[in-house]
Amino acid sequence: MSLIENLKEGCIPSEIKKIALNEKIDINILLEKILSGRIVVPKNKIRSDIFCAGIGEGLSTKINANIGTSERSSDIDKELKKLSVLVKAKADAVMDLSTGGDLDTTRQEIIKHSPIPVGTVPIYQAAARAKEKHGSFEKMTKEDIFESIERHAADGADFMTIHAGVTLSTLEKLERDGRIIGIVSRGGAILANWMIQNDKENPLYQEFDRLLEITSEYDITLSLGDGLRPGCIADATDKAQIQELIILGELVKRAREASVQVMVEGPGHIPVNQIYENIKMAKELCDGAPFYVLGPIVTDVAPGYDHITAAIGGALAASYGADFLCYVTPSEHLGLPSVDDVREGVIASKIAAHAADVAKGVSGASDWDLKMAKARSVLDWEKQIELSVDPEKSKKIFKRNNLIEDGPCSMCGDYCSIKMMDCIKT
Amino acid sequence: MSLIENLKEGCIPSEIKKIALNEKIDINILLEKILSGRIVVPKNKIRSDIFCAGIGEGLSTKINANIGTSERSSDIDKELKKLSVLVKAKADAVMDLSTGGDLDTTRQEIIKHSPIPVGTVPIYQAAARAKEKHGSFEKMTKEDIFESIERHAADGADFMTIHAGVTLSTLEKLERDGRIIGIVSRGGAILANWMIQNDKENPLYQEFDRLLEITSEYDITLSLGDGLRPGCIADATDKAQIQELIILGELVKRAREASVQVMVEGPGHIPVNQIYENIKMAKELCDGAPFYVLGPIVTDVAPGYDHITAAIGGALAASYGADFLCYVTPSEHLGLPSVDDVREGVIASKIAAHAADVAKGVSGASDWDLKMAKARSVLDWEKQIELSVDPEKSKKIFKRNNLIEDGPCSMCGDYCSIKMMDCIKT
């Protein structure tokens, strides 16, 4: 039975109780929100012993880190190293976006070693197989697609990105209105390319019920991909993007009717002044389904620093109601991330998520800040380092130029405001 | 004659014409805003050949980088190295916050070498001299303070932070309501300490007219410091902070009446959900005076990454109307910044400022993004690197794992969405 079916029968799995406890949320509210689709808990039926994340309304903002090979870099060990780094940096989920090397083994190894939910994008493998078998992406068959979905499901994927909203009608909007950068979603481009070359509707849209049967069988959470997300801020919030979102909203309804957990993916690239509308619109059109954004990046001009442009957008998006942030690394727009980039990306995303949680009043979020403030007010450096989002880095910077453990730091020395004001108190 | 007096006489200095040109703003609107105090152009009368920055309503958001020695690190050459790095990274202004070593020489060297406006905080030197002459900060005399201001003015400081809003009435609010961390402004703490120990009103408040005479003589822009800014998000937007802001608003009026250019400093630490109110309130209470924020940092838990927490807050603050962002470096809360930290801080702050400029529709701001998007849409890597906020870093990452100059990058390879969609077009 799926989680939803279990809950309907009044049976509450232990991981759900754990979430209620960790998130300091009333269990009945949690159950009600899972049942109404406002919270999802991605976990494949065949997976055990994973640390489940609740994603959605009222819970702390979760973050996902993408890893995976490409044709030019397909070392499984390197990807497993990234996995271990992102888990240590406290990502809540990981996605395997591999497109190079042995896709099956890579995915299986990542799932095997991941203590957190794993997401995949089966269309990549379908395309790869088509290239292998028939020589090109566009010769991919419907069966290639569903076979790949079955395979990922059977391997234990906890959630899957499915670009079912790239339809002939959305492509028509795209073509009519034009864009600076057409399609930047790999999955979206594979499908659009296939649809145009073969003059056919998207099989994932057309056979959505078949998809629901598979995800239902394994209790996989659907993540409805935004294949037409904007690829630069000038393209943000355009007709193609919103047309696709409307379709995703309809698919949310169908997934819920089949007791399949579902979330919705969103941009991407959005300027600061359009983030509020994007989040509210997505929540409205998708009936409160958990909203999973990629960044969003708030300017196009900072390759090398897109963990920062994404932290700005992510903090804002999550404070307005986005539930799940996909990290962006300093390598974004330039190449595959290194192990260090993965770490930087996760930490920047964690900061954005936490800043948003404080802003939206998530239960207990600001306690962390309060503890830090109290440690700071008494110049307790050990405690400040221990409480910081990355104790290793803060310790390194502190040690670099401070020899005194219980006094003011090298920035102010005797001019330390805390020390000065302390003199008055005593 | 001061800038304001010149403009009143109908004489427009060349630097003002340059600002209108660079910012693509109508010269008459610029003049009107300078005359009404909504834009300031900090430049000491004795300084020549500096690249002036217009700060205020309708102009691009400017950023400031703090450098300066402390008792534990007082190497002038290191500070000059930081100066050269921050200028190269395109900071619009620099503040010398030195408190250690030979303060006069440090300041003079920084002013001599800086092609951009230099700000100082004379109270630090007044306190240092008091410690030298009388053995402690609290034995500082009113004359020590004004002598230090005169000295900075005569050396060519373009703007000065003056904590004239720390008054007996604001301290009373602070004491009555309590805080997690009392005072975190060094200048604020020096003055509060002095006022309490000597049971006297703040001389900078009491003799504000004397201060205006000096700043008027040298045409220095006053930056009204927020000595009672919150030091953690739990203390944000409290009575002491707002009480001080009300006083700063009154002082803005007095400065304007004396034809002295004036801006107002603000926090500091503000959670995401309080930034809008803080900016709007400051603009309202200070009659549209340029607002200069420090960060603001949106969570306390990320020492080592406060350039990121500040970029989040700065982007938001500036998009709501803050005009001038003081950078925060990865070393904040841990010690004096290194040369690398200075660079990281400036770039993070530039990103925040630019994201805000796009959001608030600053003339020409989004052209940069559009150029980048167009280069990205044709996989023109050379152009993308050239256009990026830090070409050196983006080039390094790109070269790290891409051997092909005119194809897709290592992230997607053959799965490049741009390349795939391109196939259809051709």
Side-chain angles (χ1 to χ4, degrees):
Chain A
M1 286 209 299
S2 73
L3 172 64
I4 299 290
E5 287 160 347
N6 264 316
L7 295 183
K8 279 182 185 163
E9 302 254 317
C11 167
I12 307 170
S14 63
E15 58 261 28
I16 302 301
K17 291 178 189 159
K18 236 186 250 173
I19 289 172
L21 204 69
N22 289 342
E23 302 260 2
K24 301 185 183 74
I25 182 174
D26 182 279
I27 183 84
N28 292 314
I29 294 175
L30 178 62
L31 296 178
E32 185 273 314
K33 293 199 179 202
I34 297 173
L35 284 167
S36 65
R38 288 170 175 260
I39 287 176
V40 296
V41 183
K43 182 179 170 294
N44 188 308
K45 195 178 275 184
I46 69 166
R47 292 257 281 160
S48 56
D49 286 338
I50 65 164
F51 191 83
C52 282
I55 301 167
E57 207 176 82
L59 301 183
S60 61
T61 306
K62 302 302 182 298
I63 70 155
N64 173 76
N66 291 336
I67 58 174
T69 59
S70 77
E71 287 164 294
R72 306 227 194 112
S73 169
S74 56
D75 174 356
I76 296 182
D77 288 339
K78 192 173 171 189
E79 299 311 311
L80 291 178
K81 173 76 190 154
K82 289 180 189 173
L83 174 65
S84 108
V85 161
L86 71 87
V87 168
K88 194 180 163 207
K90 298 191 184 143
D92 301 291
V94 59
M95 287 191 80
D96 169 26
L97 306 189
S98 293
T99 56
D102 180 345
L103 298 185
D104 287 328
T105 309
T106 309
R107 182 179 57 259
Q108 286 154 7
E109 285 294 305
I110 288 173
I111 292 174
K112 186 174 135 194
H113 287 94
S114 175
I116 55 179
V118 178
T120 68
V121 191
I123 195 74
Y124 298 164
Q125 187 162 24
R129 287 181 69 79
K131 208 176 155 195
E132 243 174 68
K133 285 199 313 197
H134 323 293
S136 80
F137 291 165
E138 61 263 31
K139 290 191 180 146
M140 180 173 68
T141 65
K142 195 170 45 180
E143 291 316 310
D144 289 331
I145 298 177
F146 281 98
E147 191 206 350
S148 172
I149 293 171
E150 289 271 10
R151 200 182 277 240
H152 287 223
D155 279 344
D158 300 296
F159 60 106
M160 272 182 193
T161 293
I162 300 290
H163 303 88
V166 180
T167 63
L168 292 172
S169 71
T170 50
L171 287 182
E172 190 204 315
K173 287 274 178 302
L174 184 72
E175 205 180 355
R176 194 186 306 160
D177 288 325
R179 268 187 175 180
I180 306 300
I181 311 184
I183 297 184
V184 295
S185 152
R186 289 194 293 203
I190 290 169
L191 284 159
N193 189 304
W194 183 91
M195 290 160 65
I196 294 167
Q197 304 273 9
N198 295 285
D199 196 21
K200 279 188 183 162
E201 184 52 283
N202 182 346
L204 293 165
Y205 177 73
Q206 246 180 346
E207 306 208 14
F208 194 67
D209 289 333
R210 180 171 171 191
L211 175 72
L212 291 177
E213 276 169 34
I214 305 170
T215 49
S216 192
E217 187 186 340
Y218 290 91
D219 202 11
I220 290 162
T221 297
L222 263 186
S223 188
L224 296 173
D226 54 335
L228 300 186
R229 65 172 175 269
C232 61
I233 58 169
D235 290 341
T237 329
D238 73 350
K239 296 189 185 68
Q241 181 198 323
I242 309 307
Q243 179 67 61
E244 183 181 36
L245 189 61
I246 291 170
I247 293 172
L248 298 185
E250 292 164 5
L251 298 176
V252 162
K253 197 160 175 260
R254 287 172 62 187
R256 284 178 180 171
E257 282 163 4
S259 293
V260 168
Q261 297 191 85
V262 61
M263 57 185 167
V264 174
E265 299 185 11
H269 294 244
I270 322 179
V272 166
N273 57 317
Q274 290 175 23
I275 295 178
Y276 178 84
E277 293 83 331
N278 266 272
I279 305 302
K280 296 299 171 190
M281 187 167 47
K283 284 282 180 174
E284 192 61 36
L285 291 174
C286 300
D287 192 24
F291 195 43
Y292 176 22
V293 291
L294 175 51
I297 279 168
V298 294
T299 167
D300 302 321
V301 304
Y305 297 88
D306 277 330
H307 58 311
I308 296 181
T309 61
I312 296 171
L316 256 184
S319 75
Y320 295 143
D323 307 285
F324 196 23
L325 303 179
C326 185
Y327 85 163
V328 176
T329 80
S331 272
E332 186 73 23
H333 299 111
L334 295 168
L336 267 195
S338 68
V339 173
D340 277 348
D341 288 337
V342 167
R343 201 163 159 279
E344 286 282 302
V346 172
I347 290 168
S349 199
K350 286 300 278 186
I351 289 170
H354 176 70
D357 287 347
V358 168
K360 61 184 168 185
V362 166
S363 182
S366 60
D367 294 352
W368 186 8
D369 298 78
L370 197 58
K371 278 182 200 155
M372 177 65 87
K374 285 180 178 168
R376 206 163 263 161
S377 76
V378 294
L379 302 177
D380 183 341
W381 297 103
E382 205 178 318
K383 191 86 189 162
Q384 288 178 68
I385 288 165
E386 180 197 318
L387 283 168
S388 59
V389 70
D390 181 1
E392 265 174 55
K393 186 172 181 191
S394 55
K395 187 171 188 171
K396 201 170 136 195
I397 297 179
F398 182 73
K399 292 277 176 195
R400 189 181 68 203
N401 44 17
N402 293 291
L403 300 170
I404 302 162
E405 293 276 335
D406 60 348
C409 78
S410 69
M411 181 173 264
C412 303
D414 273 359
Y415 292 75
C416 173
S417 63
I418 290 167
K419 209 182 122 199
M420 277 191 267
M421 297 314 293
D422 225 34
C423 293
I424 300 171
K425 283 187 217 150
T426 52
Chain B
M1 286 210 300
S2 74
L3 172 64
I4 298 289
E5 288 160 346
N6 264 316
L7 296 182
K8 279 182 184 163
E9 303 254 317
C11 167
I12 308 171
S14 63
E15 60 260 29
I16 301 302
K17 291 177 188 160
K18 238 185 252 174
I19 289 172
L21 204 69
N22 289 342
E23 303 258 2
K24 302 185 183 74
I25 182 174
D26 182 279
I27 183 87
N28 292 313
I29 294 175
L30 178 62
L31 296 178
E32 185 274 312
K33 292 200 180 195
I34 296 174
L35 284 167
S36 66
R38 286 168 178 261
I39 287 176
V40 296
V41 183
K43 181 177 168 297
N44 187 308
K45 194 178 276 183
I46 68 166
R47 291 258 279 162
S48 56
D49 287 337
I50 65 163
F51 191 83
C52 282
I55 301 167
E57 208 176 83
L59 301 184
S60 62
T61 305
K62 303 301 181 302
I63 71 153
N64 174 76
N66 291 336
I67 56 172
T69 60
S70 76
E71 286 164 295
R72 303 222 198 116
S73 168
S74 56
D75 174 355
I76 295 181
D77 287 340
K78 192 172 170 191
E79 298 312 309
L80 291 178
K81 174 76 190 152
K82 289 180 189 173
L83 174 64
S84 108
V85 161
L86 70 89
V87 168
K88 194 180 162 208
K90 299 192 182 142
D92 301 290
V94 57
M95 288 192 80
D96 168 28
L97 305 189
S98 293
T99 57
D102 181 344
L103 298 185
D104 286 327
T105 309
T106 309
R107 181 177 59 258
Q108 286 154 8
E109 285 294 303
I110 288 173
I111 292 175
K112 187 173 134 195
H113 288 93
S114 175
I116 55 178
V118 178
T120 69
V121 191
I123 195 75
Y124 298 165
Q125 187 162 24
R129 286 181 70 78
K131 206 175 157 197
E132 241 174 67
K133 283 198 319 195
H134 323 293
S136 82
F137 292 162
E138 62 263 27
K139 287 190 179 146
M140 180 172 68
T141 65
K142 192 169 48 179
E143 291 316 308
D144 289 330
I145 298 176
F146 281 97
E147 192 206 351
S148 171
I149 293 171
E150 289 269 10
R151 202 181 274 240
H152 287 222
D155 279 345
D158 299 297
F159 61 105
M160 272 181 194
T161 293
I162 299 290
H163 302 87
V166 180
T167 64
L168 292 171
S169 71
T170 49
L171 287 182
E172 192 204 315
K173 287 274 178 302
L174 184 72
E175 203 180 358
R176 197 187 304 161
D177 287 326
R179 269 187 174 179
I180 306 298
I181 311 184
I183 297 183
V184 294
S185 152
R186 289 195 295 202
I190 290 168
L191 283 159
N193 188 305
W194 184 91
M195 288 160 66
I196 294 167
Q197 304 274 9
N198 295 283
D199 196 20
K200 280 188 183 161
E201 184 52 281
N202 182 346
L204 293 165
Y205 177 74
Q206 245 180 348
E207 306 208 12
F208 193 67
D209 289 332
R210 182 173 170 189
L211 174 72
L212 291 177
E213 276 169 35
I214 305 169
T215 49
S216 191
E217 189 187 338
Y218 290 90
D219 201 10
I220 291 163
T221 296
L222 263 185
S223 188
L224 296 173
D226 55 334
L228 300 185
R229 65 172 174 267
C232 62
I233 59 169
D235 290 342
T237 329
D238 72 350
K239 295 190 185 68
Q241 181 198 325
I242 308 307
Q243 179 68 60
E244 183 181 37
L245 189 63
I246 291 171
I247 293 172
L248 298 185
E250 292 165 4
L251 298 176
V252 163
K253 196 159 176 260
R254 286 173 63 187
R256 285 178 180 172
E257 281 164 3
S259 293
V260 168
Q261 296 190 86
V262 61
M263 56 186 167
V264 174
E265 298 184 13
H269 294 243
I270 321 180
V272 166
N273 57 319
Q274 291 176 22
I275 294 178
Y276 179 83
E277 294 83 331
N278 266 270
I279 304 302
K280 295 300 171 190
M281 187 167 48
K283 284 281 180 176
E284 192 61 37
L285 291 174
C286 301
D287 192 24
F291 195 43
Y292 175 22
V293 291
L294 174 52
I297 279 166
V298 293
T299 166
D300 303 321
V301 304
Y305 297 88
D306 277 330
H307 57 312
I308 296 180
T309 61
I312 296 171
L316 256 186
S319 75
Y320 295 144
D323 308 284
F324 195 24
L325 304 180
C326 185
Y327 86 164
V328 176
T329 81
S331 271
E332 187 73 23
H333 299 111
L334 294 168
L336 268 194
S338 67
V339 173
D340 278 347
D341 289 337
V342 166
R343 203 164 156 279
E344 286 283 302
V346 171
I347 290 168
S349 198
K350 287 299 277 186
I351 289 170
H354 177 69
D357 288 348
V358 168
K360 60 184 170 185
V362 166
S363 182
S366 60
D367 294 352
W368 185 8
D369 299 78
L370 197 58
K371 280 181 199 155
M372 177 65 88
K374 285 179 177 167
R376 204 163 266 161
S377 74
V378 292
L379 301 178
D380 182 343
W381 296 103
E382 205 179 317
K383 191 83 187 163
Q384 288 179 65
I385 287 166
E386 180 196 319
L387 282 168
S388 61
V389 70
D390 180 1
E392 267 175 53
K393 187 174 180 190
S394 53
K395 189 173 188 167
K396 201 171 135 195
I397 297 178
F398 181 73
K399 293 276 175 195
R400 190 181 65 204
N401 46 16
N402 293 291
L403 298 170
I404 302 163
E405 293 277 334
D406 60 348
C409 78
S410 69
M411 182 173 264
C412 303
D414 273 359
Y415 292 75
C416 174
S417 61
I418 291 167
K419 210 183 123 200
M420 276 191 265
M421 297 314 292
D422 225 33
C423 294
I424 301 174
K425 283 184 218 155
T426 53

